[in-house]
Amino acid sequence: MVGSEGASSPLPKLAYVFEPTSFATLALYEAASGLCELLWVVDASRPEVRELSRLLARLGTIVDIGGLSLDAAAVAIANHEPQGIVALADDALRFTADLAERLELAFHTPACALRLTDKHTQRAALKEGGLAVPRSWVVALDAADDAIDGLGVDCHFPAVLKPRRGEASRDTLPVASLDELRSHVAALRAESAPGREFVLEEFIPDASDARGGEGFAGYVSVESFVSDGKVCHLAVTGRMPPAFPFRETGFFIPSALDAALQGEVLQVAALAAAAVGVEIGCLHTEIKLTDDGPVVIEVNGRIGGGVPELLAAVTDVRFLTLAMRLALGEAVPCEGLRACPRLAFLFYVHAPQEVRVVTAIEGIDELRGLPGVDEVVLRRGPGQTIDWREGNHGHVLSVFGTADDHDGLRKVSEQISATLRIIGS
């Protein structure tokens, strides 16, 4: 920016509440380039944050709030005079909402942040907003056995047991019967922190046909942003069939939905945003395709993992930058769904469910040479442990690339399956 006398104005400061498991640090820095100066709001006592502290200091200003009360943390941030605040990880949303309220900066309200991160509270809000929702119950792991048995009387199986707060399908389990519910609860009690709560939710039935496209999953996600309470959709993301039990194996933009079904999905996503009470920010809304119409699986109050890269590959949308512009108070115009001349995909390759230690991975070099494959990122190499209960985060490697169309995507998927072999014990 240039002032009336030709002097450059300083960039506005954006407080970014940092979670190392969210978007890559360099990607965030690049998104902020020329737009704002980043204030990295961190708890430097965390080992995973300490490992990145030198890099963060080179890419912005570190505001260490480790050990501070909420009010003291707000003061520490206020001393740097930020013009906006943002968080793009589920675990940081409620804390950031409380900070934003104290700093008088635009973000999700504390009540909205609760609805975005508490699955039971969110279901209640969606139902109150007139949306179809499955029946659900809170499962406290320290509840008496007869209370668990009582849930089995009310619930119609099959069902899904998932953490009341959590992401990426971690510890998300199918439940076929009351006996299986008892078994899951007993196992979780043995390995979970005291007081941990789960949600038991009746399974949303699959459609009787391939509504997501032949060979694709029966659910999609809608990538949106909200400015001044108005929802703008950027893309509908298709999904590959999940690995057991609910681990994502891949997603792609654009989806394979026909125009009529896509319209229904977008309408449901907008209604869900209103029901949860989102006034500003970015959304990643997962929606199941059923015979009775689209049903919301979950509304996430942040950008979906991998979505910025997919959008950048086939559209002019720079989603991380857009999120920062919103946080700084910029009015971002709504241009609707973007036309995509090609299709972008990101596959997560998982080990077989029984594998606990990766011993070898065959076919990676051949995989990198496949037409349409632009990048292969190894996450778990030989010798590393793996657990299917980590959900999406437990994948062995990821594959990013583009295809001409959905038939081309199906071909790439088949080639990956034929080329790669994960060996373990």
Side-chain angles (χ1 to χ4, degrees):
M1 298 175 61
V2 179
S4 58
E5 297 180 0
S8 296
S9 301
L11 292 175
K13 296 178 182 179
L14 176 65
Y16 184 91
V17 182
F18 183 75
E19 276 294 330
T21 57
S22 185
F23 296 99
T25 305
L26 287 176
L28 294 166
Y29 176 73
E30 291 172 1
S33 179
L35 175 69
C36 60
E37 176 188 337
L38 289 172
L39 302 174
W40 302 106
V41 179
V42 304
D43 178 353
S45 67
R46 296 169 57 184
E48 62 272 34
V49 174
R50 282 202 304 272
E51 292 176 3
L52 293 168
S53 60
R54 290 181 64 184
L55 175 62
L56 294 173
R58 290 174 55 194
L59 305 179
T61 301
I62 291 178
V63 183
D64 182 10
I65 59 169
L68 299 182
S69 68
L70 187 60
D71 287 336
V75 170
I77 297 168
N79 288 337
H80 293 271
E81 301 182 340
Q83 282 74 57
I85 190 169
V86 71
L88 296 175
D90 289 335
D91 287 346
L93 292 185
R94 290 177 65 178
F95 177 67
T96 305
D98 289 335
L99 285 174
E101 185 176 55
R102 286 161 172 76
L103 295 167
E104 298 183 350
L105 295 173
F107 190 67
H108 303 305
T109 66
C112 178
L114 174 63
R115 291 189 286 269
L116 287 167
T117 54
D118 183 314
K119 292 177 174 61
H120 187 68
T121 302
Q122 184 177 121
R123 283 291 183 216
L126 294 174
K127 183 177 181 180
E128 187 175 343
L131 290 151
V133 297
R135 295 197 305 162
S136 64
W137 300 265
V138 173
V139 179
L141 294 184
D142 54 6
D145 289 342
D146 58 354
I148 303 299
D149 290 348
L151 296 176
V153 174
D154 293 333
C155 180
H156 295 157
F157 295 100
V160 180
L161 186 66
K162 59 181 71 173
R164 185 167 182 172
R165 293 187 62 186
E167 61 177 354
S169 298
R170 187 187 300 272
D171 286 335
T172 299
L173 305 165
V175 185
S177 64
L178 175 57
D179 283 343
E180 195 162 82
L181 175 62
R182 293 182 183 126
S183 176
H184 286 329
V185 169
L188 290 166
R189 281 172 175 165
E191 59 193 30
S192 297
R196 191 180 183 195
E197 292 186 331
F198 280 67
V199 172
L200 180 68
E201 183 176 279
E202 292 182 347
F203 182 73
I204 302 171
D206 294 304
S208 56
D209 56 12
R211 301 196 174 189
E214 194 63 39
F216 302 141
Y219 71 105
V220 296
S221 64
V222 180
E223 321 309 336
S224 317
F225 70 87
V226 185
S227 180
D228 292 328
K230 298 178 181 178
V231 183
C232 181
H233 304 304
L234 298 171
V236 179
T237 305
R239 290 294 199 281
M240 303 303 293
F244 181 87
F246 302 104
R247 293 175 292 166
E248 288 190 330
T249 61
F251 41 103
F252 51 92
I253 292 176
S255 74
L257 301 188
D258 61 42
L261 183 53
Q262 179 171 274
E264 292 180 43
V265 165
L266 295 177
Q267 182 179 27
V268 167
L271 291 172
V276 175
V278 179
E279 293 291 324
I280 187 173
C282 298
L283 296 176
H284 173 73
T285 305
E286 297 179 359
I287 296 179
K288 186 77 174 281
L289 310 172
T290 79
D291 287 336
D292 296 323
V295 177
V296 175
I297 299 172
E298 191 167 273
V299 182
N300 299 283
R302 39 80 183 171
I303 298 172
V307 171
E309 294 87 344
L310 295 182
L311 281 171
V314 292
T315 75
D316 61 351
V317 176
R318 301 298 178 263
F319 210 178
L320 293 175
T321 299
L322 190 154
M324 294 176 183
R325 290 168 59 193
L326 288 170
L328 291 167
E330 184 176 335
V332 179
C334 181
E335 300 178 24
L337 296 183
R338 298 301 204 274
C340 301
R342 287 173 60 77
L343 180 151
F345 63 82
L346 178 62
F347 290 150
Y348 291 150
V349 182
H350 295 270
Q353 184 186 349
E354 66 275 9
V355 169
R356 292 292 178 268
V357 178
V358 177
T359 56
I361 305 172
E362 298 177 350
I364 289 184
D365 289 341
E366 293 86 347
L367 183 62
R368 291 192 170 104
L370 290 178
V373 171
D374 296 326
E375 183 180 52
V376 177
V377 178
L378 182 64
R379 180 179 174 87
R380 306 289 176 92
Q384 292 187 285
T385 59
I386 197 166
D387 189 340
W388 64 269
R389 292 177 303 177
E390 292 184 57
N392 307 339
H393 292 315
H395 66 271
V396 173
L397 55 86
S398 62
V399 185
F400 176 84
T402 58
D404 290 333
D405 50 32
H406 293 99
D407 285 337
L409 174 67
R410 294 181 183 96
K411 183 178 180 180
V412 171
S413 178
E414 292 169 359
Q415 290 175 320
I416 291 173
S417 297
T419 302
L420 199 67
R421 184 176 177 222
I422 299 171
I423 304 169
S425 60

